[in-house]
Amino acid sequence: MSTIDQLKWRYATKKFDATRVLSEEKLDILKQAFNLTATSFGLQSLKLVIVTDNSIRNELVQHSYNQKQVVDASHLLVLCINDNIIDKDVDSLFDAIKTIRATPETILAPYRNDLKSMMASKTVEERVEWSIKQAYIALGNLMTVCAIEKIDSCPMEGFNPLQYDNILNLKEKGLKSVLLLPVGYRADDDMFATFKKVRKQVSETVIEI
């Protein structure tokens, strides 16, 4: 199928087949896709937490407005952000650039310092909001890759992040949960799978100048 056909096939899966599990190969594709997601400056102030433990997921359901996708999906992907961005994070990025690309520090230093200054000019809340925007880029990328790989998914904002952070011990990792993406395979009786996709015409949503 073409990429467009796959995107038409994709929908927000409401009922997963709890008996079907993603292969390690498919799961690795999602891990790699997350890691390859474009982020501003390439800073990657994100983490992906993959939850497979059913006892933990059953506990999370009540903090997800009882949405059963959380426990019935093959895996629950929790997109998280760093709870802050500090100089160490910027240095980690530019040190990696120096090592991987053999770029001299004389070239990198101005960019390193500019990014540190930019982050220092923001409040912690502004840095968090900046990272949240990066998380949405990652979510969109994962959903597209899922469609191409014939993996069903359901993007979710409807959950209690504070409870998730507590149950998954995210605070001690310096993380905050932002978005959920249960992934797996649709159940045969998920009626939403047969609904026709409702979208505006391309001519209504795309402006060519």
Side-chain angles (χ1 to χ4, degrees), residues 57-151:
R57 290 201 281 169
N58 273 303
E59 188 178 357
L60 292 171
V61 169
Q62 63 180 311
H63 304 298
S64 313
Y65 299 97
N66 293 313
Q67 296 177 89
K68 293 292 288 181
Q69 298 99 309
V70 167
V71 70
D72 288 340
S74 170
H75 294 74
L76 174 62
L77 309 187
V78 183
L79 281 73
C80 304
I81 61 167
N82 294 359
D83 60 11
N84 197 0
I85 298 172
I86 58 178
D87 284 354
K88 181 180 177 181
D89 300 312
V90 177
D91 283 330
S92 179
L93 167 64
F94 283 96
D95 289 348
I97 293 173
K98 185 193 298 186
T99 299
I100 295 169
R101 296 178 179 171
T103 307
E105 180 60 30
T106 52
I107 293 176
L108 293 177
Y111 299 100
R112 186 193 295 263
N113 294 330
D114 282 350
L115 186 51
K116 285 182 180 179
S117 297
M118 174 187 152
M119 289 301 165
S121 71
K122 298 178 181 294
T123 64
V124 173
E125 291 75 18
E126 287 172 333
R127 287 177 221 144
V128 164
E129 184 62 30
W130 184 84
S131 291
I132 288 173
K133 292 176 181 178
Q134 312 307 307
Y136 276 93
I137 297 172
L139 176 69
N141 188 43
L142 283 171
M143 290 169 62
T144 299
V145 171
C146 280
I148 291 170
E149 293 294 326
K150 279 277 192 177
I151 298 169

Side-chain angles (χ1 to χ4, degrees), residues 147-203:
I148 291 170
E149 293 294 326
K150 279 277 192 177
I151 298 169
D152 286 298
S153 67
C154 183
M156 294 170 56
E157 294 178 300
F159 71 105
N160 186 322
L162 292 178
Q163 292 295 336
Y164 265 67
D165 295 354
N166 180 51
I167 293 169
L168 298 176
N169 298 314
L170 297 181
K171 187 174 182 180
E172 65 185 36
K173 298 179 176 67
L175 300 174
K176 293 176 178 288
S177 57
V178 174
L179 296 162
L180 307 180
L181 188 68
V183 295
Y185 299 102
R186 64 190 68 176
D188 291 338
D189 60 347
D190 185 359
M191 66 179 184
F192 289 91
T194 61
F195 287 2
K196 291 184 177 180
K197 196 172 289 294
V198 178
R199 294 291 188 276
K200 295 179 179 180
Q201 295 297 311
V202 172
S203 59

